[in-house]
Amino acid sequence: NELEQATTCFGQGISVTAIQLITAFCSLINGGYLYKPHVVKDIKSSHLNEIVETKNKEVVRKVISKETSDTMKTILEGVVSSPTGSGKNAYIQGYRIGGKTGTSEDGVNTGKRIASFVGVADIKDPEVAIIVILYNPTGEGGHQGGAVAAPLAGQILGEVLPYLEITREKEEYKEV
């Protein structure tokens, strides 16, 4: 209907799964390639702990140019690094994180919201993609993706990045 046509331009009324969203997001930051998603990297034997099968990356198609991907990485980094960026609550000093927040309604007139943050680290050499989706968050942070989902993503990345031995940059990070 006309209402759906009008609200689609800013993301309302579009339904995607978390795996669809993060797969599309990753194509923005990996040089423009859409990969077939998979959850399993390796299959190991139970008795020898040897790799029996490795799942290889499978390109579906190229969706944007490398130049556009590089521009998107700069924009996404600004969302997190800028003091006025909607994703500033995912910022971790010394790491270059990019991301995008989302806040949407759950249907028409339900009064419920969906808050989200999708992000990547380290933006110069992406190793980790993350998505946090909170259904109908209530409480201190409200229902905005930047207020409730971004801080949670930052907390998770703050533990995952050192675990993966991704080192912090020595210089004080400068805003993009």
Side-chain angles (χ1 to χ4, degrees):
N1 66 32
E2 289 180 4
L3 177 61
E4 289 170 335
Q5 290 176 12
T7 58
T8 298
C9 69
F10 55 85
Q12 296 287 346
I14 299 173
S15 295
V16 296
T17 65
I19 196 85
Q20 288 171 321
L21 180 58
I22 201 157
T23 299
F25 178 79
C26 286
S27 71
L28 297 176
I29 52 96
N30 71 10
Y33 294 95
L34 179 67
Y35 286 93
K36 182 178 180 180
H38 61 275
V39 179
V40 176
K41 179 181 176 184
D42 297 319
I43 299 173
K44 296 182 179 182
S45 67
S46 59
H47 55 86
L48 297 175
N49 202 25
E50 293 176 342
I51 295 175
V52 176
E53 182 181 349
T54 298
K55 297 292 183 181
N56 295 318
K57 294 179 182 179
E58 183 181 333
V59 176
V60 175
R61 67 183 170 277
K62 184 138 173 106
V63 294
I64 59 173
S65 68
K66 174 149 180 15
E67 294 77 21
T68 301
S69 176
D70 290 342
T71 299
M72 288 304 303
K73 288 195 312 188
T74 300
I75 292 167
L76 293 166
E77 185 176 15
V79 169
V80 175
S81 67
S82 172
T84 58
S86 64
K88 66 184 177 209
N89 290 325
Y91 177 80
I92 304 167
Q93 186 172 348
Y95 289 112
R96 294 179 62 186
I97 298 169
K100 178 68 181 95
T101 62
T103 306
S104 63
E105 298 173 351
D106 175 30
V108 178
N109 298 323
T110 65
K112 296 181 179 177
R113 304 280 190 263
I114 301 168
S116 62
F117 178 85
V118 61
V120 60
D122 192 282
I123 199 75
K124 68 180 182 223
D125 183 22
E127 289 288 323
V128 177
I130 186 170
I131 186 167
V132 174
I133 301 171
L134 303 170
Y135 181 74
N136 201 31
T138 58
E140 203 171 302
H143 63 267
Q144 301 291 319
V148 294
L152 185 53
Q155 181 181 356
I156 293 166
L157 289 171
E159 294 187 27
V160 168
L161 296 173
Y163 176 78
L164 294 176
E165 298 178 349
I166 298 172
T167 56
R168 293 177 188 259
E169 293 190 7
K170 292 182 181 174
E171 283 185 26
E172 175 61 30
Y173 178 67
K174 294 179 178 65
E175 179 184 330
V176 185

